[in-house]
Amino acid sequence: MTPDVLKSIADTLEARREAAPQSSYVASLFHKGEDAILKKVAEEAAETLMASKDKDKLHLVREVADLWFHTMVLLTYHGLRPEDVVMELHRREGISGLDEKASRNPTA
């Protein structure tokens, strides 16, 4: 269901969650807390947008990889895994985006 590389990265992130901050970049992010992780996700999202605007496909792929990675750090911070996101995508598969959004917010 989830590509092996995502599972492997998630396992590594979980292992680094309680590691000493000086032992790895990820451990230092976890040590700094949610705000630092959120800042990285926002930074990577902005860089992804700029790569898209530049029409540089290789740069775009690299920035999306950074964005996915930091989003996985955020998921791990909250005790979640890529499998949780994949399950949600499977739930939405075959459902109109408009219908799915309306099901989340009945007043929309």
Side-chain angles (χ1 to χ4, degrees), residues 33-101:
E34 185 178 24
D35 285 349
I37 297 167
L38 293 172
K39 183 178 177 184
K40 283 303 295 182
V41 170
E43 175 186 315
E44 298 303 342
E47 290 173 2
T48 297
L49 298 176
M50 295 310 298
S52 178
K53 295 292 282 179
D54 291 344
K55 309 285 191 248
D56 182 337
K57 291 182 180 182
L58 178 58
H59 187 205
L60 178 59
V61 167
R62 290 177 173 166
E63 291 302 339
V64 169
D66 289 345
L67 178 58
W68 285 13
F69 177 82
H70 287 90
T71 301
M72 288 178 65
V73 172
L74 180 62
L75 287 171
T76 303
Y77 179 85
H78 288 284
L80 297 166
R81 292 187 52 92
E83 293 88 345
D84 297 306
V85 176
V86 170
M87 285 177 14
E88 176 61 13
L89 290 171
H90 277 293
R91 183 191 71 77
R92 294 180 185 190
E93 189 175 18
I95 300 172
S96 156
L98 295 174
D99 291 341
E100 195 285 324
K101 187 168 183 161

Side-chain angles (χ1 to χ4, degrees), residues 2-12 68 72 81-82:
T2 302
D4 289 341
V5 68
L6 295 181
K7 289 180 182 180
S8 178
I9 292 168
D11 292 343
T12 300
W68 285 13
M72 288 178 65
R81 292 187 52 92

